Amino acid sequence: FASIVNAVEEGRGVYDNIRKYIGFLLSGNISEVLIIFLGIVFGLPLPLTATQILLINLVTDGLPALALSADPYEPNAMARKPRKLDEPIFKGLNPFLVYYPIVMTITALALFSWFYFYKANLFQAQTATFLTISMFELYQAFASRSTIYPAFKVGIFKNKYLILAVFSSFAVIAFSIFIPPFGSYVDMSPLSIMEFAFIVVISSIGAIVIELCKYYKTRNESLEM
């Protein structure tokens, strides 16, 4: 019987991590498609180059997603009722798959438009869009530590692989923007420190939306860690 209990707990943990992986990757991909599609609809130049999209998929998507697949299991996993066999894996992922893409798309297109029209610099506008999407996803990686509970309740920094992945991704992003010889290979244009800092700060809004949704849904529940 103990083996059965352990097997059920392991199965629930693996299933939860699959949901984290799916929620994280799909939300970012949906946002990227919307940003490019709406940019074309509004008659704007492409907000991202092909090289920048590839770099996003390799660095800010790939590394954190791999770390989330090995994330510690959700608390209270065994206290939850068994899910129905026909329950969609996307159930309860609206904050990730609906609200987050909307917020990221609006923010990225707004920043792209500001750089493009106000500064009249397409390359800087594309770089700003790249940075916005990348930072949105790095913040979201920590919010994805749980699809049910707020990250601060389950421990934002408990996954050491995720911390390493996020900081490695951030280093690549900063290096590509501030080191012109390398940035030229990945279609980047240097930003000022103030512009970089502003985008880094404003990009946290996506993860905040996810965290607020989870908080209001589970605010009366206590966790057994």
Side-chain angles (χ1 to χ4, degrees):
F1 286 107
S3 297
I4 293 173
V5 172
N6 290 335
V8 171
E9 185 175 16
E10 184 78 11
R12 291 188 176 189
V14 170
Y15 182 80
D16 287 340
N17 280 0
I18 291 174
R19 281 169 50 84
K20 296 176 190 178
Y21 190 95
I22 289 175
F24 175 74
L25 284 181
L26 278 186
S27 60
N29 290 332
I30 290 171
S31 303
E32 291 168 36
V33 171
L34 284 174
I35 290 166
I36 294 173
F37 173 75
L38 291 177
I40 294 172
V41 169
F42 294 144
L44 298 171
L46 285 177
L48 292 168
T49 68
T51 305
Q52 289 172 338
I53 294 173
L54 179 61
L55 189 60
I56 288 172
N57 289 334
L58 288 175
V59 178
T60 59
D61 281 350
L63 292 178
L66 287 174
L68 285 172
S69 68
D71 206 50
Y73 295 155
E74 299 263 14
N76 285 356
M78 296 301 289
R80 301 200 302 264
K81 294 180 180 179
R83 61 181 176 84
K84 297 179 181 179
L85 290 176
D86 58 349
E87 180 181 293
I89 196 170
F90 302 107
K91 183 178 180 180
L93 292 182
N94 281 352
F96 294 85
L97 304 182
V98 180
Y99 312 139
Y100 173 88
I102 291 173
V103 173
M104 186 205 277
T105 300
I106 293 172
T107 305
L109 285 178
L111 286 170
F112 175 83
S113 299
W114 187 85
F115 274 88
Y116 180 65
F117 290 110
Y118 180 74
K119 301 196 70 176
N121 190 323
L122 176 58
F123 296 115
Q124 276 199 336
Q126 290 172 331
T127 300
T129 306
F130 166 83
L131 178 58
T132 302
I133 294 173
S134 298
M135 292 309 305
F136 257 84
E137 295 191 2
L138 293 186
Y139 283 120
Q140 191 213 348
F142 288 111
S144 297
R145 283 230 49 238
S146 174
T147 59
I148 302 171
Y149 302 104
F152 69 87
K153 280 192 174 183
V154 299
I156 296 177
F157 303 113
K158 281 194 172 183
N159 186 341
K160 60 182 180 181
Y161 301 110
L162 182 60
I163 295 172
L164 178 62
V166 168
F167 277 97
S168 298
S169 298
F170 182 78
V172 172
I173 293 166
F175 189 81
S176 63
I177 292 176
F178 290 114
I179 309 298
F182 178 77
S184 62
Y185 290 107
V186 287
D187 299 336
M188 299 294 175
S189 178
L191 301 174
S192 71
I193 295 295
M194 290 299 297
E195 290 167 344
F196 184 87
F198 174 77
I199 293 174
V200 167
V201 172
I202 200 68
S203 297
S204 64
I205 189 172
I208 291 172
V209 168
I210 291 175
E211 290 298 288
L212 288 175
C213 290
K214 292 189 293 182
Y215 172 77
Y216 283 112
K217 188 175 181 180
T218 62
R219 60 187 180 278
N220 295 322
E221 293 185 31
S222 59
L223 298 186
E224 296 178 5
M225 303 300 291

